[in-house]
Amino acid sequence: MINNETMAYQELANVVLDFVKDREFDKAFCKCVIYEGMVENECWLEYQSKVDDQSMGWSSDDYSAADASKYLRSHFLKLTGDRIWGLTFTLYPNGKYEIKYDYNKPEGYEETHEFITGEEINKTFLK
């Protein structure tokens, strides 16, 4: 369980390294879009000014990026009162990293905590 920023950043680095495997890179990235109940993430790398986005079909074996992103969302909401909707984690071969946060809600995304029961759904079909 992730319970601090350092652990969250380490998990994001692990996701990136899992994606990179044994390939050379100048920069490798993990971009996460953080919704209410789920996280979409994609990875890519740059090497010698060329982008390798072999993330198509790639997925991490666990939910490290999602867990790290959700932890950071909650942490910064408590800390600053602002919700992050995404982040881009950039890792360099020397182990240094950068992280950029996105405070903009994804276009067209409507967050709701309301649930529709099966009975309510069935009523709409009967009309």
Side-chain angles (χ1 to χ4, degrees):
M1 181 172 152
I2 297 172
N3 58 20
N4 63 56
E5 282 179 77
T6 302
M7 284 180 72
Y9 298 146
Q10 183 62 55
E11 287 301 315
L12 290 168
N14 289 341
V15 167
V16 170
L17 290 171
D18 185 41
F19 168 73
V20 168
K21 297 209 183 307
D22 59 354
R23 294 178 285 172
E24 293 185 82
F25 66 99
D26 297 320
K27 297 182 205 178
F29 306 87
C30 180
K31 180 178 181 178
C32 301
V33 179
I34 310 164
Y35 300 100
E36 180 60 32
M38 65 174 265
V39 175
E40 289 180 354
N41 69 292
E42 63 179 331
C43 293
W44 71 96
L45 62 85
E46 290 180 11
Y47 181 63
Q48 297 179 344
S49 301
K50 294 181 183 173
V51 174
D52 179 351
D53 62 354
Q54 292 181 12
S55 64
M56 297 300 210
W58 173 87
S59 66
S60 180
D61 290 336
D62 59 8
Y63 297 99
S64 297
D67 291 345
S69 299
K70 287 193 259 183
Y71 170 81
L72 292 169
R73 173 192 62 195
S74 298
H75 176 68
F76 287 116
L77 183 60
K78 287 178 196 171
L79 194 65
T80 67
D82 292 324
R83 185 201 196 287
I84 61 170
W85 288 93
L87 61 87
T88 302
F89 182 88
T90 306
L91 183 67
Y92 298 91
N94 64 4
K96 291 186 179 188
Y97 65 90
E98 294 175 349
I99 189 161
K100 293 182 182 175
Y101 297 101
D102 185 354
Y103 292 90
N104 299 309
K105 186 179 355 177
E107 192 172 313
Y109 178 70
E110 290 300 323
E111 183 177 39
T112 181
H113 297 289
E114 296 177 13
F115 294 97
I116 300 173
T117 66
E119 186 177 317
E120 291 172 316
I121 292 171
N122 288 336
K123 285 180 184 177
T124 62
F125 291 122
L126 296 174
K127 290 182 181 180

